[in-house]
Amino acid sequence: MPTFTATAPGKIILFGEHAVVYGHPALAVPVTKVCAKAIITGESQAKVPEMRVVAPDIGLDAPLSGLKPGNPAREVIKSVFATLGVTQIPPCTLTVTSTIPIASGLGSGAAISAAIIRALSAFLKHPLPNEQVSALAYEIEKIHHGTPSGIDNTVIAFEKPVYFVKPLPSLNGRGTGGEGPAIQTFSIPQPFTILIGNTGISSLTKETVGDVRQAWQANPKRYQRIFAAVGSIAKAARHAIESGHPARLGPLMDENHYFLQEMGVSSPELDRLVNAARQAGALGAKLSGGGRGGNMIALAEKPQADAVAQAMLKAGAMGIIITQVGE
Ligand code: PMV
């Protein structure tokens, strides 16, 4: 029985969330300690008359025809069929599992999409390149996020650190997003330790992005200033990483967190974890992703990482991932 397995990592945004939606740069890196996995097993016609979709984590076991329109798994599968011009689907079972916490800013939706696209296209004998995996996952991100910048699907499909600038279609000649190519990968000569602390509160990115949009519409000047400041921080952060000075990211993270508070997307729980990490010796800390819940990140020297983790747990973190970025 032929089996096709594909995985895709989680991700964190290091700098630039929210401002990225308005054309400013953001930095994100893959987190390979967690991943989504898709396995396709071809089965005989008699046993399974059509494609079966199994996701034990969410108690799903249904034929493809039983999934409602708008169901992300159904939409991913259909988009692969449409891309490859497939009309007759060989009977098979798709099993999806993931160790990436849901709705917490670690890119679980994009990773699940990417894993399914890879496994399914390989099963159909047309493995898709990263560009196409990313583009298809982006379409599904729209179901999750409304108006996604595209950073999640990009970093997850390419599995590389990404400096991302969302292309803005209507800039009226004075926009903010016109610099260089939209996606640049960059190198990390000096790896660094990031702790990811989960508040345990799920928060919908669609909602925080919508709230920031409303606040920006009500007060465009103030928000444009904040977004531009965050964009400059992301640029400085890339320079610090590429020039081998990751410790310089600490103060930049603190500054970026301040601006996220100003945007109204932090929360008491996130602030508590950020402060606890700083007090325990982290070089800097900030929320990561959509905010109001989900995750925060802290930069620590390796020997301090355990003490920072303990402090974050004491301050209410529901889970901690310690990851070496750039290894
Ligand atoms: O919550 P996450 O990690 O999926 O990230 C959202 C990042 C935002 O900048 C807030 C939105 C976006 O689409 O880039």
Side-chain angles (χ1 to χ4, degrees), residues 21-32:
V21 175
Y22 300 85
H24 295 277
L27 295 188
V29 291
V31 177
T32 48

Side-chain angles (χ1 to χ4, degrees), residues 11 13 16-21 104-107 141 145 147-152 205 208-209 288-291:
K11 74 97 210 352
I13 297 182
E17 50 275 271
H18 287 290
V20 69
V21 175
S104 64
L106 285 173
E141 284 293 282
H145 284 191
T147 53
S149 62
I151 192 168
D152 278 24
T205 298
T208 54
V209 169
S288 174

Side-chain angles (χ1 to χ4, degrees), residues 6-11 31-39 54-59 95-104 106-116 156 321:
T7 60
K11 74 97 210 352
V31 177
T32 48
K33 267 207 171 166
V34 286
C35 74
K37 190 192 247 186
I39 304 171
V54 182
D57 301 345
I58 54 165
T95 306
V96 183
T97 55
S98 175
T99 56
I100 308 173
I102 295 170
S104 64
L106 285 173
S108 105
I112 289 171
S113 298
I116 294 177
I156 282 166
I321 297 168

Side-chain angles (χ1 to χ4, degrees), residues 58-82:
I58 54 165
L60 173 71
D61 184 345
L64 178 60
S65 59
L67 301 181
K68 293 204 179 85
N71 175 297
R74 176 188 189 273
E75 300 308 328
V76 181
I77 295 163
K78 297 267 176 187
S79 75
V80 175
F81 292 160

